[in-house]
Amino acid sequence: NAGVTQTPKFQVLKTGQSMTLQCAQDMNHEYMSWYRQDPGMGLRLIHYSVGAGITDQGEVPNGYNVSRSTTEDFPLRLLSAAPSQTSVYFCASSGLAGVPSYEQYFGPGTRLTVT
Amino acid sequence: AQTVTQSQPEMSVQEAETVTLSCTYDTSESDYYLFWYKQPPSRQMILVIRQEAYKQQNATENRFSVNFQKAAKSFSLKISDSQLGDAAMYFCAYRAAYNNNDMRFGAGTRLTVKP
């Protein structure tokens, strides 16, 4: 049971490039989320999904796209990277169908630098 | 909108002593959960303790306990018998009971433990 996995761990992009951050979970969780962590600001929700085929925007969605074609995977796409997207990105999952859930389980994070 | 405030950017404690980290939150919901997460230098988000708002009894987990004051919207974390391994960033977080995805975080408190 690997929990929540994220790849890559580190990435450097040039302004304007696009890329996809991968997230997978093997706990059969319904809910998955993407957060970004910036210094002095804690974690902020980018996008989330309540199940395969269902996604919605969080607090800071601009510049990012998501999709959820399977229960396990929830990739985050940066369409045209900007220096303001330099951050640490966390994927999280929670909740089995029909079972009350409490905490979210976090992946190890991806440190992204945009130059 | 729900907000979480951690007013102490940094705290320090002597090994074996007790320290309290503060957190206040703002919500109009009556049913919600509160969390403390620990983030060591590895970046991994680790759940320390959880409190359900409908429970009057304060949660405890070994050396970690909370002081939950629902009317005051306050949720402090007490670490007893501090150990060197407790040194980390600590984040207070809030989630409405109906919303599995939208967890709101405070800006964090960096805890230093002095030998």
Side-chain angles (χ1 to χ4, degrees):
Chain A
N1 191 333
V4 181
T5 57
Q6 290 182 237
T7 55
K9 286 190 167 49
F10 301 93
Q11 183 71 49
V12 179
L13 289 178
K14 294 188 188 309
T15 297
Q17 288 185 318
S18 62
M19 80 158 294
T20 299
L21 306 185
Q22 301 292 343
C23 174
Q25 52 93 7
D26 61 0
M27 297 173 282
N28 205 29
H29 284 165
E30 282 191 305
Y31 308 100
M32 297 186 75
S33 305
W34 276 102
Y35 294 88
R36 60 178 288 173
Q37 181 181 18
D38 300 300
M41 298 188 73
L43 278 72
R44 291 181 294 166
L45 184 65
I46 304 171
H47 283 286
Y48 65 93
S49 170
V50 299
I54 306 170
T55 64
D56 207 345
Q57 296 181 350
E59 188 181 358
V60 288
N62 292 340
Y64 307 95
N65 271 358
V66 292
S67 59
R68 184 110 179 261
S69 56
T70 67
T71 300
E72 295 77 18
D73 300 299
F74 190 44
L76 177 73
R77 296 182 189 85
L78 279 70
L79 309 172
S80 177
S84 61
Q85 294 179 304
T86 293
S87 189
V88 178
Y89 291 85
F90 287 95
C91 180
S93 74
S94 66
L96 295 171
V99 177
S101 70
Y102 297 105
E103 68 268 23
Q104 294 190 341
Y105 296 82
F106 286 85
T110 296
R111 180 176 292 279
L112 175 68
T113 302
V114 183
T115 61
Chain B
Q2 298 89 0
T3 58
V4 178
T5 303
Q6 292 179 250
S7 59
Q8 306 154 316
E10 295 182 355
M11 293 283 285
S12 68
V13 63
Q14 207 70 33
E15 195 176 5
E17 294 192 345
T18 296
V19 65
T20 298
L21 309 185
S22 301
C23 173
T24 58
Y25 58 96
D26 185 29
T27 184
S28 57
E29 302 291 336
S30 59
D31 194 8
Y32 52 87
Y33 307 121
L34 297 164
F35 308 87
W36 279 98
Y37 279 89
K38 171 185 178 181
Q39 187 181 45
S42 67
R43 243 180 18 218
Q44 183 70 48
M45 295 289 285
I46 302 165
L47 179 68
V48 175
I49 201 164
R50 170 188 87 226
Q51 175 80 43
E52 291 93 324
Y54 64 85
K55 290 186 176 179
Q56 293 187 336
Q57 187 172 4
N58 289 325
T60 63
E61 287 287 344
N62 301 316
R63 298 182 294 107
F64 299 88
S65 62
V66 298
N67 183 2
F68 173 47
Q69 301 288 329
K70 190 171 184 179
K73 297 180 182 174
S74 169
F75 183 60
S76 61
L77 174 70
K78 185 170 84 170
I79 306 174
S80 304
D81 186 25
S82 296
Q83 300 176 358
L84 295 177
D86 294 334
M89 283 289 287
Y90 286 82
F91 291 97
C92 178
Y94 160 99
R95 176 171 79 77
Y98 65 84
N99 191 332
N100 273 304
N101 288 86
D102 193 358
M103 189 172 281
R104 299 295 172 121
F105 288 82
T109 296
R110 182 173 301 281
L111 178 67
T112 303
V113 181
K114 298 178 181 177

